[in-house]
Amino acid sequence: MKSTVRRIAAPLTALVLTAALGSCGGSDGSSDKKKTVTLWMYPVIADQAASDTYWKKVETDFEAANSGFDLNIEPQPWDKRDEKLATAFAGKKGPDVVLLIPDQLPQYVKNGSLEPVGDVVEADKSKFLPNAIPGLTVEGKVYGAPIYHTVTTTIYNKTVLGKAGITKPPATWDEIKAAAPKLKAAGFSTLDYSASPEATLNLNFYPLLWQAGGKVFADDGKSVAFNQAPGLEALTFLKTLWDEGAVPKSALTNGNAIENQPIGKGQVAMAFTATPANAALAAKSWGVDNTEVGAPLTGAKQVGYGIPGGLSVNAGSENIDGAKKFLSFMIQPPQLEAMSKATGYFTPRTDAKVEVTDPLTQKFGPALQYAFPGEPNPAARQIMALLSVEIQAVLTGKKTPQQALDDAAKQGNALLGR
């Protein structure tokens, strides 16, 4: 592995800072030298040794298959990643290739920082999961090549359900409503929820909105739609459970955590946007035999949340051709299968073997067909912050669901209209 590939937890060295502030990793203009492709990669592989091994092989194999190119992998921390990348893009600098997720794309597309990569994925487009490429598409153009796919779904504490006399885990909104009084009588809450303003709505309110048949944004992206009838239904559903004690009061400060929360302590029957990591933590507390993985919940629709992680190309790169060659290399089954094995994530291609080995994580596989990557919009994160505050106001009794949604919509539409 090149000297620029080092432990992500270590402080950034002057070399990385120079690379971030220097020119994009393209050719230095000398025709007899290899063209450099610089990749900014984040710690998607949690185990450092496994990460080093994986990226070393990627580097070796890519360079062997493309003799005219030199792959330069620069590990980056998750912390303040958007600030650093935005600064690099604004200065027409930064990496040739960078890992991005769906809700990051619109802001960089809007300011012209990303190169479309539809030509990279076109030949294999039919071999990807239904929402993998659409999740990395903005205004009809593809800006990311999928290399992994996350998924969330419902997990149940079988012991808690059993103590309430519930033999069939509630899988629909109506079944949750019916189960809530039984669980309360047995001394338990029904549904885990993360209402902290720091928690992403993609893992709390938005799945309920989508399950109700609603949307965050209007089709043209110029106004919000969450204050329409489906949004009211979703927030009323949540508020009713809250008022009945079916959602633990700690939800107001919970940021989708399992440990040290009622769900982890065995006081709640189910979590509806659990990740495989959440399930693993729950199983340590409840016991593997008492942890059941189900399907995403069904309201008017059955929807869960899950996103592709994609490689995007810097529009300011001096080596766009080489960057696209690297994307083409990375989306092939051998690389994706190795990525799946190293990360524990699922592959975004249907013709690539899923190398997930953990038995509990494997049970998340069927939920991929319901995985929705969210709604791209340059203001998505700002809208999320506005709406989070209003949802808190509903749960604490300061506003009615419709009043809160309308207030958030007024602020959101003003933001979108700027």
Side-chain angles (χ1 to χ4, degrees):
M1 187 78 62
K2 293 182 177 62
S3 61
T4 51
V5 180
R6 54 207 159 270
R7 297 182 70 87
I8 291 169
L12 291 176
T13 65
L15 180 59
V16 177
L17 292 174
T18 300
L21 298 175
S23 62
C24 296
S27 170
D28 63 0
S30 175
S31 61
D32 60 344
K33 290 186 178 182
K34 293 183 178 181
K35 292 183 178 180
T36 299
V37 176
T38 299
L39 166 69
W40 277 11
M41 179 49 60
Y42 300 87
V44 295
I45 303 174
D47 181 84
Q48 189 62 50
S51 181
D52 290 345
T53 299
Y54 177 81
W55 291 113
K56 175 60 179 176
K57 182 169 175 53
V58 166
E59 176 190 359
T60 301
D61 291 353
F62 174 73
E63 291 178 351
N66 298 273
S67 59
F69 296 95
D70 182 18
L71 180 61
N72 179 24
I73 304 171
E74 296 183 356
Q76 303 292 320
W78 291 120
D79 186 47
K80 297 182 179 179
R81 66 190 188 278
D82 277 318
E83 293 91 328
K84 181 177 179 181
L85 188 58
T87 298
F89 281 158
K92 304 299 181 184
K93 305 177 188 297
D96 299 297
V97 180
V98 62
L99 176 74
L100 295 175
I101 58 176
D103 70 351
Q104 291 178 291
L105 293 176
Q107 59 184 316
Y108 298 128
V109 170
K110 185 177 181 180
N111 63 24
S113 297
L114 299 181
E115 178 77 12
V117 295
D119 52 333
V120 173
V121 301
E122 184 60 35
D124 293 329
K125 200 171 183 179
S126 64
K127 299 174 183 176
F128 285 87
L129 291 168
N131 282 317
I133 292 177
L136 297 169
T137 299
V138 179
E139 296 180 351
K141 294 183 179 181
V142 182
Y143 287 94
I147 60 171
Y148 65 82
H149 209 295
T150 68
V151 63
T152 65
T153 194
T154 314
I155 60 171
Y156 303 91
N157 186 323
K158 292 168 65 176
T159 298
V160 170
L161 293 174
K163 288 181 178 179
I166 299 172
T167 56
K168 180 180 178 294
T172 68
W173 286 19
D174 288 341
E175 290 172 357
I176 289 173
K177 293 176 186 176
K182 299 177 184 178
L183 286 160
K184 184 176 182 180
F188 300 102
S189 297
T190 302
L191 193 69
D192 186 54
Y193 191 83
S194 53
S196 167
E198 286 73 39
T200 172
L201 295 190
N202 287 325
L203 292 174
N204 50 53
F205 181 68
Y206 284 172
L208 296 178
L209 174 65
W210 300 327
Q211 289 162 12
K215 297 183 55 148
V216 180
F217 298 99
D219 290 340
D220 62 6
K222 296 180 180 179
S223 62
V224 300
F226 54 69
N227 63 327
Q228 297 175 6
L232 177 60
E233 184 178 0
L235 191 49
T236 300
F237 171 69
L238 176 62
K239 173 63 170 171
T240 300
L241 293 176
W242 175 268
D243 289 344
E244 293 175 352
V247 173
K249 301 307 178 187
S250 61
L252 290 175
T253 56
N254 185 12
N256 199 46
I258 294 289
E259 289 184 307
N260 302 316
Q261 294 294 328
I263 183 74
K265 296 176 181 177
Q267 300 166 0
V268 185
M270 57 190 288
F272 72 105
T273 57
T275 65
N278 293 149
L281 287 173
K284 287 182 179 179
S285 175
W286 310 343
V288 174
D289 292 341
N290 291 318
T291 305
E292 181 166 340
V293 178
L297 295 180
T298 301
K301 298 171 63 177
Q302 187 173 20
V303 185
Y305 177 69
I307 59 171
L311 296 179
S312 296
V313 174
N314 183 352
S317 169
E318 297 175 5
N319 189 12
I320 287 178
D321 178 63
K324 288 188 174 183
K325 283 182 181 294
F326 178 63
L327 265 61
S328 296
F329 170 82
M330 283 298 297
I331 64 172
Q332 297 311 308
Q335 282 66 252
L336 299 185
E337 290 167 1
M339 171 70 77
S340 175
K341 185 174 182 178
T343 61
Y345 293 145
F346 291 87
T347 70
R349 285 181 66 136
T350 57
D351 61 341
K353 181 182 178 183
V354 174
E355 295 288 352
V356 173
T357 57
D358 177 69
L360 200 60
T361 302
Q362 288 175 343
K363 295 179 180 179
F364 279 70
L368 281 167
Q369 63 185 305
Y370 304 107
F372 182 62
E375 301 172 49
N377 189 287
R381 295 192 178 188
Q382 295 97 311
I383 297 295
M384 192 178 289
L386 295 172
L387 186 52
S388 291
V389 173
E390 298 297 335
I391 292 172
Q392 279 240 346
V394 171
L395 297 182
T396 54
K398 297 176 182 177
K399 294 184 180 182
T400 66
Q402 189 66 69
Q403 180 186 6
L405 292 172
D406 286 342
D407 287 349
K410 183 177 180 179
Q411 298 174 71
N413 287 333
L415 178 65
L416 291 169
R418 291 177 186 171

